[in-house]
Amino acid sequence: MYTKRMLIDAAFEELALAGYTFDIDPDEQLAALRRLDSMMATWGGPGIGIRIGYNATVNPSNSDPDQESGIPDWANEAVYLNLAIRLASAYGKALPKSTTAPAKFAYDALISAVASEIPQVQPMGNLPIGAGYKRIRTSPFVQPPTDLLTTGEDGLLEFNGPVPLP
């Protein structure tokens, strides 16, 4: 699992600011860490809702770049490429398509992966049916889902659904 420092270093490498030529000082690391925290907070907020387990910094004055990021390995590229895009303007860097295109692709893949994990909500019994939905029954409301598991008088679970195939 990547640490926050590894994500920041990968973003600086993408900007061609890491290595022997440029030494990133601790203040620049902390500034990049604040941008990383800010980006992940924005992604996890109500507008976007990407929650992938990032270990958010509670107090910016106690930021630790060596803390594990908490994000899964499949999300690393989306995070560091988009962090590089956010850091580029601070360093006067113009990003080539070879950075922005993979960043967009990785971000879209991240959104797809997170969206596929959203649980489906069952409709309530008092939810009106839309105008385009025509049916023979007279009730204008969606029928509530059937509860397939109930407890009997003896307290044991009973299955009320169809018999499963062997």
Side-chain angles (χ1 to χ4, degrees):
M1 183 175 293
Y2 272 43
T3 64
K4 293 178 180 182
R5 183 183 306 276
M6 293 166 107
L7 291 169
I8 292 167
D9 288 344
F12 280 125
E13 286 172 13
E14 194 64 34
L15 294 173
L17 292 175
Y20 298 109
T21 311
F22 297 99
D23 288 330
I24 307 300
D25 65 19
D27 290 335
E28 290 173 318
Q29 283 274 345
L30 288 177
L33 178 57
R34 283 192 298 274
R35 289 218 182 182
L36 174 62
D37 286 338
S38 174
M39 180 179 76
M40 296 308 292
T42 301
W43 285 9
I48 301 173
I50 299 175
R51 292 181 182 86
I52 52 175
Y54 180 74
N55 291 328
T57 303
V58 178
N59 185 353
S61 62
N62 295 335
S63 296
D64 181 16
D66 294 318
Q67 178 186 19
E68 285 194 7
S69 65
I71 63 174
D73 290 337
W74 53 264
N76 288 336
E77 185 178 41
V79 172
Y80 74 73
L81 286 175
N82 282 284
L83 178 61
I85 291 171
R86 290 180 182 232
L87 292 173
S89 63
Y91 292 93
K93 290 284 192 170
L95 291 170
K97 281 277 193 201
S98 62
T99 298
T100 56
K104 171 127 177 59
F105 179 77
Y107 181 76
D108 291 344
L110 180 67
I111 288 179
S112 295
V114 171
S116 68
E117 297 174 7
I118 296 174
Q120 298 297 317
V121 177
Q122 292 291 326
M124 298 175 286
N126 60 354
L127 184 67
I129 295 175
Y133 184 78
K134 308 293 185 221
R135 66 179 183 169
I136 299 171
R137 294 188 200 146
T138 58
S139 174
F141 297 101
V142 173
Q143 300 301 317
T146 308
D147 188 11
L148 297 178
L149 289 176
T150 59
T151 55
E153 291 180 19
D154 56 357
L156 298 175
L157 283 177
E158 295 178 7
F159 183 67
N160 299 327
V163 177
L165 296 174

